[in-house]
Amino acid sequence: MSGAEGIGASVRRKEDRRFLLGKGRYTDDIVLPDQSYAVFVRSPYAHAGITSIDTRAACEMPGVLAVLTGKDTVDAGLGGVPCGWLVKNKDGSNMVEPPHPSLAVDVARHVGDPVAMVIATSKAAARAAATAVAVDYDVRPAAGNLDTATAPGAPLVWDAAPGNICFDWHIGDPATTDAAFAKAAHVVEIELTNSRVAPNAMEPRAANGHFEASNDQYTLYTTSQNPHLTRLLLAAFTLHVPEHKLRVVAPDVGGGFGSKIFHYAEELLVLWASKKVGRPVKWTSERMEAFVTDAHGRDHHSKAQLAVDANGKFIGLRVATLANMGAYLSTFAPAVPTYLYATLLSGPYDFPAIYAEVKAIFTNTVAVDAYRGAGRPEAAYLLERLVDKAARQLGIDRIELRRKNLIQPSQFPYQTQVALQYDIGDYQATLDMALERNDHAHYEQRRQASAKRGKLRGFGISTYIEACGIAPSALVGALGARAGLYEAANVRVHPTGSVTVFTGTHSHGQGHETTFAQLIAERLGVSIQNVEIVHGDTDRIPFGMGTYGSRSAAVGGSAIVKALDKIVDKGKKIAAHLLEASVADIEFKDGQYRVVGTDRVKAFGEVAFAAYVPHNYPIDTVEPGLDESAFYDPKNFTFPGGTHLVEVEIDPDTGVVEVVDVTIADDVGVIINPMIVDGQAHGGLAQGIGQALYEEAVYDSEGQLANDSYLTYTMPRAADLPMFKVGNHVTACTHNPLGVKGVGETGAIGVPPAVIGAVLDALAPLGVTDISMPATPEKVWRAIQAAKAATGKKA
Amino acid sequence: MPKLTLRVNRQTHTIDCSASTLLVEALREQLRLTGTHVGCDTSQCGACTVHVDGASVKSCTMLAVEAEGAEITTIEGLADGDKLHPMQAAFQEHHGLQCGFCTPGMVMSAVDLCKRVKAPSEPEVRTWLEGNLCRCTGYHNIVKAVMAGADGMNGGKP
Ligand code: FES
Ligand code: FES
């Protein structure tokens, strides 16, 4: 490695300065000349026919430029918002794929469904006029949540989807699984819910569309994790404007966590409206609007059974899951409860037989799609809760039961029963590391100390795995993806040796401007101060699939390395010419080309200069310039994993749960910047603990979201969380050039079952055996009271 | 529209401003000081935190007219020219920011705390930051940064 700036160095972030000075440039910060503003009129009902929309009064109001409705979008031939993944039913038929109009036409299908768009010269004028749009609704019965949507005779979200079933899918082998259960010594059963959460990136979504008539060019500034994908969908499906006339810019983006992957209707509408009104049109979501329009996460209901033999070895797993899709299929929604969930159900365990069935259900709610972890947290939560229950039922220690069933290092590559093949890992090592760092040996003393203070202490553990860097393209294509999942990079070495890298990934907190610069420092020996990482602009970057699924280092970083290899190779040819040696005798190290075994060298900068001023140059065989692009399509997913340990203290009088210790040991592969990797783990942990203890987006049976603001939706605050103890044990990914795996989601995946496990461990002496997320004080208090009543004794 | 005179970052500005304009709107939309952010509509996130006469205030909870005559400081006015304020430097040193959206509010709030309490303890920092939400960092490094920033404000190394 090249010292202080290369791979493995906790380099301070290059991007920080602009954010700290208040000079970040987020979408809502951009005001274009002649800027106009859009406000949406949204359905207050979960399910309602739209009988009429009267826009006349609104149109007459001061400053109003246009009021547009669903009918206008139909007349203009705008396409509906497409779904990017086709899942097939068990019988091979296609899932039900209903239309998703950008503005509701005849029927509104969830609270927040847009029915009209008001454009005015100021935000205040647009807001005022929006209240003057008169919409007549014919309110219909709604399938407001999973329970109501799956009840017999439930109202239908779509007539084309009887029973509200979008698809009925399965994976694994039912026959071998049945056989495993037939010979099981023990069968452990669980039924649980993975609660619905709202992503809540701190920056609300925004979109600013600008049509320039002079050159027929559309530009969209948007809060996106993947501007090229947005451009592709705009071109091919929604706006029907070819890519060369479309520029999508995702400038600084204030967090995404999945919710900004998807192509949203507002993006297409501001572009279309801009052409109509002849001015740029900007929409910025309000927080309450975000709660009912950003795609939510999780929302599963599952039943599972674990077959265990007489020695405590897992021999079979059966899972049946209902997954809420919401009213419309968001961009990657069908992939989340299938290829990102059921394929992970083997976890880190050696399972000889698995069978999983997933029914996706339409409800009259906003869409559910990928949220930090996307499917993998649901798998880990189900599996870890089931393993904990098995330990209790079989009377085996939770740690020992896990140890007995973890895949052994010698078993890699490990083929699971649910399609994935894990390339490498060492789950025992992360388990040992976590237990040691948490000083688990002295847990009992800590428990007694808590008891002395009147607190119930509990310990929870989760050994988990995830799959990152979803790939390869051919495989995901066969599974229904309508996009490739490679990444692109362009490395441009300038004549004086500084470097600009154009990457198709997008940084919205991940720190790519620093970590990717470290790759350049490592490989070319160029200081990160002389490297610029450019992302988020389709006009500047060749192509890209963006940032989600912890793919940026594994896929985007690998694309950069591929381009760097080309640069280094071309430089060798130039250096060989300059040094009058043969190419085979040239080595490149620490920023210098050297004739092997001599002191004859050319610095990288000299070679770059020669490439652009090719006076003394092998011009017959080598083109001038030093500028290389690469596309990288991974051979497989990467598989981070690890152990998360949580200790909680519960006040039995109030039910308040305090997280007092979080110790994790992850294997995220080779680490480029430890400081940034730890920071990613911290953030994921906070979201995971948030889901376990505080957060839940609650839709009632009528489809009204009960908590649609920060007054009622609880996210963790600083005082709710402890300092986290984060450790890493590295096994290098075997199939990408950096050996990296991915870290963006580990915390959100691993920690929720450990938190709930700790809560249940603390409450076990009282007889409490189950609690659902979020384990709020009220829920915990009620569980304690119910257990006391059941056992008839005082705790 | 009525005129309003505001003192922001040691400069005097006269702007058009209605009686219902929020301070955050005046800062972002009229003065184009977009470092102050809006993350919610219920005064819960703290992304809009600025100083009014030295004390941290959520600028979405205050009308612009109420700020007339006061000395307002936004994130843009904290650094000394090119030199980061010790709290800003501490946030960079301790990786107290990821997406940067909550950051201006966090930094402004933290500076106020450290003017009141010279060396705040971890629980004091966590309790003080009650009004500021961050979705990226899990607060771990923010808390470390604020404690280091307090040292920096007392002349130590951030
Ligand atoms: S914008 Fe959220 S508190 Fe002011
Ligand atoms: S750094 Fe992203 S919200 Fe705090």
Side-chain angles (χ1 to χ4, degrees):
Chain A
M1 79 151 252
S2 62
E5 293 189 339
I7 291 178
S10 283
V11 175
R12 300 304 184 265
R13 298 200 323 169
K14 284 166 62 98
E15 45 271 84
D16 284 355
R17 204 177 154 80
R18 70 172 183 275
F19 295 130
L20 285 162
L21 291 169
K23 302 279 187 232
R25 186 166 173 262
Y26 300 87
T27 301
D28 186 57
D29 299 342
I30 296 167
V31 178
L32 299 170
D34 258 345
Q35 185 72 60
S36 70
Y37 298 85
V39 165
F40 289 91
V41 178
R42 298 184 182 274
S43 171
Y45 304 108
H47 199 189
I50 300 166
T51 42
S52 73
I53 305 176
D54 188 345
T55 63
R56 284 169 302 180
C59 286
E60 295 305 311
M61 290 177 65
V64 172
L65 300 169
V67 181
L68 303 167
T69 66
K71 187 176 171 310
D72 298 316
T73 65
V74 173
D75 293 347
L78 286 188
V81 184
C83 176
W85 202 297
L86 174 74
V87 166
K88 303 239 184 214
N89 291 304
K90 285 175 184 165
D91 65 6
S93 60
N94 288 347
M95 67 183 187
V96 177
E97 194 172 357
H100 183 178
S102 51
L103 288 172
V105 183
D106 307 315
V107 183
R109 286 190 166 81
H110 66 87
V111 171
D113 210 356
V115 296
M117 179 187 196
V118 178
I119 300 133
T121 51
S122 74
K123 212 186 279 180
R127 269 193 207 128
T131 63
V133 175
V135 186
D136 271 337
Y137 293 101
D138 164 25
V139 181
R140 300 178 182 177
N145 54 33
L146 265 185
D147 284 346
T148 23
T150 52
L156 292 186
V157 182
W158 299 98
D159 292 339
N164 289 314
I165 296 169
C166 170
F167 59 77
D168 181 5
W169 173 93
H170 66 165
I171 193 168
D173 189 334
T176 56
T177 307
D178 285 348
F181 274 85
K183 60 172 200 237
H186 314 274
V187 173
V188 184
E189 298 192 317
I190 202 162
E191 177 169 359
L192 54 74
T193 292
N194 198 295
S195 47
R196 180 174 181 128
V197 287
N200 276 305
M202 289 315 300
E203 179 206 22
R205 284 193 300 118
N208 195 347
H210 188 197
F211 174 73
E212 286 160 288
S214 55
N215 56 355
D216 239 357
Q217 181 77 30
Y218 289 85
T219 303
L220 174 69
Y221 298 89
T222 182
T223 49
S224 174
Q225 300 177 216
N226 45 356
H228 285 88
L229 183 68
T230 300
R231 188 185 62 167
L232 174 64
L233 297 177
L234 281 163
F237 296 100
T238 61
L239 194 64
H240 304 305
V241 169
E243 278 105 326
H244 68 288
K245 289 291 176 193
L246 257 176
R247 175 182 177 203
V248 178
V249 183
D252 287 327
V253 172
F257 315 113
S259 67
K260 293 171 181 168
I261 298 172
F262 324 120
H263 178 30
Y264 287 93
E266 294 90 354
E267 296 175 314
L268 119 95
L269 292 169
V270 293
L271 285 169
W272 171 64
S274 172
K275 184 170 185 179
K276 270 195 137 30
V277 302
R279 301 167 62 149
V281 177
K282 178 161 78 170
W283 165 78
T284 304
S285 177
E286 301 194 346
R287 181 55 60 186
M288 287 189 191
E289 194 177 14
F291 269 99
V292 294
T293 64
D294 294 358
H296 288 181
R298 320 283 190 254
D299 208 347
H300 282 196
H301 190 87
S302 297
K303 291 181 187 167
Q305 290 132 17
L306 176 67
V308 189
D309 74 9
N311 300 317
K313 174 81 188 63
F314 302 158
I315 55 171
L317 177 69
R318 220 188 254 136
V319 174
T321 293
L322 295 174
N324 194 342
M325 295 280 100
Y328 302 105
L329 292 178
S330 172
T331 313
F332 288 118
V336 176
T338 51
Y339 299 107
L340 294 174
Y341 162 71
T343 50
L344 270 297
L345 282 169
S346 193
Y349 307 115
D350 180 20
F351 265 108
I354 300 177
Y355 179 60
E357 296 171 283
V358 178
K359 264 193 199 137
I361 305 295
F362 289 115
T363 58
N364 289 112
T365 68
V366 73
V368 181
D369 202 329
Y371 164 66
R372 202 169 196 164
R376 291 148 288 172
E378 294 90 313
Y381 184 70
L382 181 66
L383 203 50
E384 293 305 286
R385 289 284 314 271
L386 190 54
V387 170
D388 272 3
K389 195 166 177 194
R392 211 170 301 123
Q393 194 171 314
L394 275 56
I396 305 178
D397 175 74
R398 285 175 287 169
I399 299 168
E400 284 325 302
L401 184 61
R402 285 178 167 84
R403 235 184 245 291
K404 211 186 265 287
N405 286 285
L406 289 176
I407 297 163
Q408 299 299 310
S410 59
Q411 288 176 280
F412 293 100
Y414 178 82
Q415 179 61 53
T416 69
Q417 301 303 309
V418 277
L420 297 180
Q421 190 187 74
Y422 305 160
D423 63 333
I424 195 167
D426 188 344
Y427 309 135
Q428 287 76 8
T430 44
L431 174 59
D432 290 339
M433 180 188 246
L435 289 169
E436 195 205 305
R437 295 212 172 177
N438 157 272
D439 187 20
H440 189 65
H442 294 98
Y443 171 71
E444 183 52 26
Q445 275 118 295
R446 294 197 290 279
R447 195 191 63 75
Q448 286 172 11
S450 300
K452 278 211 188 86
R453 288 183 284 110
K455 297 287 174 67
L456 301 165
R457 195 177 186 107
F459 152 73
I461 175 170
S462 144
T463 45
Y464 76 97
I465 183 163
E466 67 159 318
C468 297
I470 179 170
S473 293
L475 173 73
V476 295
L479 300 180
R482 289 163 169 160
L485 284 163
Y486 48 83
E487 197 45 77
N490 171 222
V491 177
R492 182 168 303 160
V493 180
H494 301 292
T496 60
S498 69
V499 179
T500 305
V501 177
F502 300 86
T503 170
T505 65
H506 185 275
S507 184
H508 31 279
Q510 293 85 346
H512 297 171
E513 291 169 41
T514 306
T515 34
F516 288 163
Q518 288 180 256
L519 295 184
I520 311 305
E522 175 79 26
R523 294 279 171 138
L524 299 184
V526 175
S527 162
I528 63 167
Q529 298 316 322
N530 292 323
V531 180
E532 191 72 20
I533 306 296
V534 177
H535 59 94
D537 185 340
T538 60
D539 264 13
R540 300 186 69 191
I541 294 140
F543 201 72
M545 297 308 297
T547 288
Y548 41 83
S550 307
R551 70 192 297 275
S552 296
V555 191
S558 296
I560 293 172
V561 167
K562 235 180 122 180
L564 286 172
D565 287 345
K566 295 185 193 177
I567 296 272
V568 169
D569 281 352
K570 182 169 180 181
K572 269 189 191 162
K573 291 181 194 149
I574 302 167
H577 178 89
L578 295 175
L579 293 164
E580 295 173 348
S582 92
V583 177
D585 290 337
I586 302 290
E587 64 172 13
F588 182 66
K589 229 182 118 200
D590 299 333
Q592 287 193 320
Y593 288 98
R594 177 184 301 272
V595 181
V596 180
T598 74
D599 58 1
R600 286 159 59 211
V601 296
K602 282 284 169 196
F604 179 72
E606 293 178 87
V607 170
F609 192 76
Y612 286 96
V613 187
H615 296 161
N616 174 17
Y617 197 80
I619 201 79
D620 292 339
T621 51
V622 183
E623 289 173 16
L626 202 50
D627 184 328
E628 297 287 346
S629 291
F631 282 65
Y632 174 80
D633 200 282
K635 294 188 192 69
N636 191 357
F637 287 81
T638 63
F639 298 98
T643 296
H644 289 188
L645 304 178
V646 170
E647 292 180 20
V648 299
E649 272 188 349
I650 298 178
D651 181 336
D653 297 328
T654 62
V656 169
V657 178
E658 191 187 342
V659 178
V660 291
D661 188 274
V662 178
T663 306
I664 70 170
D666 287 336
D667 176 358
V668 300
V670 171
I671 290 172
I672 300 172
N673 183 319
M675 175 190 82
I676 288 177
V677 162
D678 286 356
Q680 289 292 309
H682 299 157
L685 288 169
Q687 285 178 0
I689 294 168
Q691 185 185 15
L693 293 182
Y694 307 109
E695 301 178 34
E696 184 179 20
V698 181
Y699 274 99
D700 66 17
S701 57
E702 305 291 306
Q704 290 291 334
L705 181 60
N707 45 356
D708 63 354
S709 82
Y710 290 158
L711 284 169
T712 44
Y713 187 95
T714 314
M715 295 203 297
R717 290 176 184 271
D720 298 323
L721 299 171
M723 287 297 188
F724 304 120
K725 291 183 257 172
V726 176
N728 284 286
H729 172 90
V730 175
T731 65
C733 172
T734 58
H735 58 76
N736 67 46
L738 288 165
V740 296
K741 296 183 183 175
V743 67
E745 298 162 295
T746 53
I749 295 168
V751 93
V755 175
I756 295 298
V759 169
L760 288 175
D761 184 46
L763 300 179
L766 307 181
V768 175
T769 57
D770 188 24
I771 202 147
S772 62
M773 297 194 291
T776 58
E778 179 189 345
K779 239 188 238 173
V780 171
W781 186 85
R782 283 185 193 281
I784 293 171
Q785 303 313 309
K788 277 185 190 167
T791 55
K793 56 177 195 219
K794 279 178 82 98
Chain B
M1 245 188 217
K3 297 264 183 233
L4 177 72
T5 301
L6 287 179
R7 276 285 291 172
V8 183
N9 300 336
R10 297 171 294 278
Q11 285 184 355
T12 304
H13 303 266
T14 302
I15 57 171
D16 294 331
C17 176
S18 81
S20 63
T21 301
L22 299 171
L23 178 57
V24 66
E25 292 170 334
L27 294 171
R28 281 183 60 80
E29 287 159 31
Q30 257 135 327
L31 301 180
R32 301 290 300 132
L33 292 167
T34 53
T36 302
H37 295 151
V38 176
C40 74
D41 32 29
T42 51
S43 303
Q44 246 102 30
C45 76
C48 62
T49 305
V50 300
H51 290 176
V52 177
D53 288 333
S56 55
V57 167
K58 291 178 176 177
S59 61
C60 72
T61 62
M62 190 171 187
L63 295 170
V65 291
E66 293 177 274
E68 187 154 36
E71 195 67 44
I72 299 161
T73 308
T74 69
I75 190 72
E76 290 92 342
L78 202 58
D80 178 7
D82 263 0
K83 198 169 164 282
L84 296 180
H85 182 279
M87 189 59 73
Q88 290 169 316
F91 267 68
Q92 173 159 42
E93 178 60 24
H94 296 277
H95 190 29
L97 63 154
Q98 291 182 24
C99 79
F101 197 79
C102 72
T103 310
M106 286 285 178
V107 169
M108 296 311 280
S109 183
V111 168
D112 187 14
L113 166 67
C114 297
K115 283 195 293 197
R116 294 167 197 247
V117 184
K118 256 186 164 278
S121 65
E122 185 198 326
E124 279 175 310
V125 172
R126 289 187 183 273
T127 307
W128 176 266
L129 292 178
E130 162 83 351
N132 292 75
L133 281 170
C134 174
R135 195 58 157 166
C136 295
T137 63
Y139 305 100
H140 182 111
N141 284 339
I142 290 180
V143 173
K144 274 169 58 179
V146 175
M147 293 169 73
D151 281 353
M153 285 168 66
N154 296 330
K157 191 182 167 307

